Structure formats: structure tokens, C-alpha cells
Amino acid sequence: MKPANVRIAQISDLHFGRDVAEVAQTLLAELHEAAPTMIAVCGDLTQRARDAEFRAARAFLDGLPAPALVVPGNHDLPGWQVWSRFTRPWRPWRRHLSTDPRGATAHTADGLVAVGVNTARQWGPHPDWSRGRIDAGQLAAIEAQFDHAPGDDLRVVVAHHPFLLTEAGLHRGLVGRSKTALRRLRRRADLLLGGHIHLAYSGVVDGLVVAQSGTACSDRLKGEPNSYNLIEADGDRLSVTTHHWDGARFDTRRRADYARDGHEWTVASD
Ligand SMILES: [Fe+2]
Ligand SMILES: [Fe+2]
């Protein structure tokens, strides 16, 4: 049986506290028009994990037109309140989003199995604590979900930190343990979604499609406009269309196409 068409809207780095109201409202309206199967929210919902910022993020999420798989980013941890960061790092997240950021969360729909993992960490072995990590327990949780899914289902991992960087983002670093993750997810997953870099791009790594979205509605731009991705999968074809803000709407589009053989993806040649 041919698997169902799947349409995923990917948004990231909303950074409420540094949000641009017009952009956020237009984004919400366009997501309603797009009628996605699922919305992947790839972290950094807030700027400094403040209550008011989480309340604004919660209100935005409540207005989304489809089930959302939401993962935290490094900005959703208390940044400067060092005591809170170490003793109760996820208390604000739990209070406002009512989900446990540890472990993994899953969403399934016809033709789709998606797993969200929290790659943000309260500290790290290097000076830049904004870098994240995926751990063995999270990989095991992803595998457990994917290994029981129907063979043709699109298998999606939703995270904050990137599994693929371009030249412009090299200094930010890949998610920690990315090599191990890619080895274990090869031919097991199809699509890895991330944010954090505030740049939109996609590509293939080790037979997996990686799609990164930029900052959806904040003024924390890194050389390109606000953006979101619409990802459409139809059997063994998948497209990633980036919608960039043009000053009034998300109207400028860039599309990349991919094809799979088994669960091995390549850039589509036609
Ligand atoms: Fe961010
Ligand atoms: Fe981030």
C-alpha cells in the first residue's frame, strides 16, 4: 500500500522576548493556510526562559492549526540565574508547556512517526554551553519508536541542535555525539529537523535528509530573513521548501528535492 502524503511545517527559534509581532502573526496565519499534518517546533521558544516569554510562546503554540511536536533549545534554560540553571533547569518549561523535557516525545499520524528529543544541556565540557548533545538513552528511545513503525512511514527526528552545518555556521558546532547518532539512525530514520543556527538549509548526511530552519519570528537574524520550512513527503520523494519573510509575508521560496531507496536518501536529480 502506498504511504500517505505527509506535510510537516518546521519552525524554530521563535525567541519570544525578541519576537516581531507582525512576523509571528503572519506566520500563524500562513501555517493555517498550509494545513500541515504536523508542526515541528525546533526549540529556542524564548529568549531568556522568563515567565512572560513562556506565556507568549504558549499562546502562540495554542494557536497552531495542527499537532505540534515541541522540543526545547538552549535559550529555554535559565541563562544567567546560575543557581536555577543547575538546580531546576527545566522548571519554567514544565510550568508553562506541561511536558517533561527529558527523554523523548513521539507523534504518529498516517504515514508518519516523529520523535522529539531535547538536545539542550545545562552545562557542557566546553566553554560554549549553548552547544547541545544527544545521548544514548535518547537514541534508544528513537530506535524503539522507529523499529516498530510500518516500513514506508516517514521517520522524523525533531531536535534543536544541528546534524549538518554549512560554512556560515561551522563555528557553532554540530550536536554532541552526532557521529554516533548518524551511524545509529542511518537507514532507520529519514529526516532530521533542527534549528539553533538561525539559517535555513537542507542536505543529505549519511543517507539522511537534514533540514534546518531559521528564526521564525525573532529579530535575532544572522544574515538572512525570518523563515519556516514546509516539508512534503509523498512515498519515496520529499521536498523542503523554505519560505523567507519578504517584509510583508513569507513569500520568497527556495525548494530542494530528495529521493529515497529503502531508507537511504539522495538529492533528487530531476
Ligand atoms: Fe536560537
Ligand atoms: Fe539555540
Side-chain angles (χ1 to χ4, degrees):
M1 190 177 72
K2 190 173 180 287
N5 290 8
V6 171
R7 179 180 296 163
I8 299 169
Q10 179 190 9
I11 60 176
S12 189
D13 296 271
L14 312 171
H15 285 292
F16 281 95
R18 290 283 299 269
D19 55 300
V20 181
E22 181 196 0
V23 179
Q25 285 159 14
T26 307
L27 172 65
L28 212 43
E30 291 196 17
L31 291 176
H32 276 264
E33 276 173 38
T37 316
M38 183 192 91
I39 300 173
V41 185
C42 295
D44 279 0
L45 276 69
T46 67
Q47 178 61 15
R48 292 197 172 185
R50 291 178 171 136
D51 283 334
E53 295 170 354
F54 271 116
R55 276 195 291 274
R58 175 78 262 174
F60 180 89
L61 295 176
D62 287 345
L64 290 174
L69 189 48
V70 186
V71 298
N74 51 298
H75 277 261
D76 301 319
L77 282 159
W80 302 108
Q81 303 127 287
V82 176
W83 177 253
S84 298
R85 188 176 177 108
F86 280 93
T87 57
R88 41 181 189 257
W90 297 109
R91 181 183 279 188
W93 179 276
R94 281 199 196 89
R95 185 187 305 140
H96 294 283
L97 298 186
S98 311
T99 61
D100 188 344
R102 296 168 304 178
T105 49
H107 175 76
T108 56
D110 196 11
L112 169 70
V113 53
V115 183
V117 288
N118 173 12
T119 54
R121 297 291 181 268
Q122 64 212 83
W123 69 279
H126 36 68
D128 179 4
W129 287 1
S130 76
R131 293 194 183 192
R133 186 175 169 85
I134 186 164
D135 62 40
Q138 291 174 318
L139 287 169
I142 293 168
E143 289 170 354
Q145 289 289 333
F146 288 176
D147 289 353
H148 293 99
D152 286 337
D153 273 15
L154 189 75
R155 293 150 157 81
V156 183
V157 176
V158 180
H160 179 60
H161 292 86
F163 289 88
L164 170 68
L165 292 168
T166 61
E167 198 71 34
L170 278 182
H171 61 289
R172 306 295 302 275
L174 292 166
V175 64
R177 292 173 63 91
S178 65
K179 269 190 187 163
T180 304
L182 289 167
R183 180 170 45 77
R184 287 175 60 172
L185 294 175
R186 184 167 196 171
R187 294 196 192 90
R188 186 175 255 136
D190 295 297
L191 177 62
L192 309 180
L193 303 181
H196 185 57
I197 312 294
H198 295 204
L199 298 175
Y201 53 89
S202 65
V204 173
V205 184
D206 290 351
L208 297 153
V209 178
V210 177
Q212 289 282 132
S213 54
T215 174
C217 56
S218 84
D219 65 2
R220 302 189 72 237
L221 304 174
K222 305 288 184 196
E224 67 175 42
N226 295 112
S227 67
Y228 68 91
N229 290 335
L230 266 187
I231 298 164
E232 302 200 68
D234 182 6
D236 293 328
R237 304 285 293 201
L238 184 151
S239 66
V240 179
T241 305
T242 300
H243 296 242
H244 279 117
W245 179 252
D246 70 2
R249 54 202 297 186
F250 289 91
D251 214 21
T252 310
R253 297 171 190 192
R254 189 179 65 224
R255 175 176 165 149
D257 290 280
Y258 303 94
R260 76 176 168 186
D261 183 3
H263 281 279
E264 192 88 16
W265 289 86
T266 53
V267 176
S269 51
D270 53 307

